[in-house]
Amino acid sequence: MYFPRLKDLRSDKDLLQKDIAKILDISQTVYSRYERGFQTIPVEHLITLADFYDTSTDYVLGRTNQTRPYKK
């Protein structure tokens, strides 16, 4: 599946794919596949990114336009 918000969130923070790949402890190539929808993003990476960007997984996945994360 393709999730364009992955790229949008990264670009908003002026980060490169390699920067996010380092956070996830994966290669830049694998992260690029996530952004382009060529590889499914694992749940643990999705959660890590939502926490990093201070948003919800639903926002990253495009299921809501509410950018604030849910209360824990």
Side-chain angles (χ1 to χ4, degrees):
M1 295 184 86
Y2 173 62
F3 302 111
R5 286 194 174 147
L6 286 175
K7 183 176 182 180
D8 294 341
L9 287 164
R10 178 179 58 78
S11 296
D12 287 347
K13 290 198 176 271
D14 295 322
L15 297 170
L16 301 173
Q17 287 182 345
K18 69 178 183 176
D19 300 324
I20 302 302
K22 187 174 183 176
I23 292 167
L24 298 175
D25 196 28
I26 58 174
S27 71
Q28 179 272 327
T29 302
V30 170
Y31 182 76
S32 174
R33 290 180 189 148
Y34 295 166
E35 279 194 4
R36 295 179 295 142
F38 294 151
Q39 188 168 334
T40 302
I41 185 168
V43 173
E44 61 270 14
H45 289 173
L46 178 62
I47 292 168
T48 300
L49 290 173
D51 288 346
F52 176 76
Y53 292 123
D54 194 31
T55 192
S56 68
T57 55
D58 281 347
Y59 181 78
V60 175
L61 297 174
R63 295 176 46 91
T64 184
N65 290 325
Q66 180 66 31
T67 58
R68 299 303 311 151
Y70 303 114
K71 292 184 180 185
K72 295 183 180 180

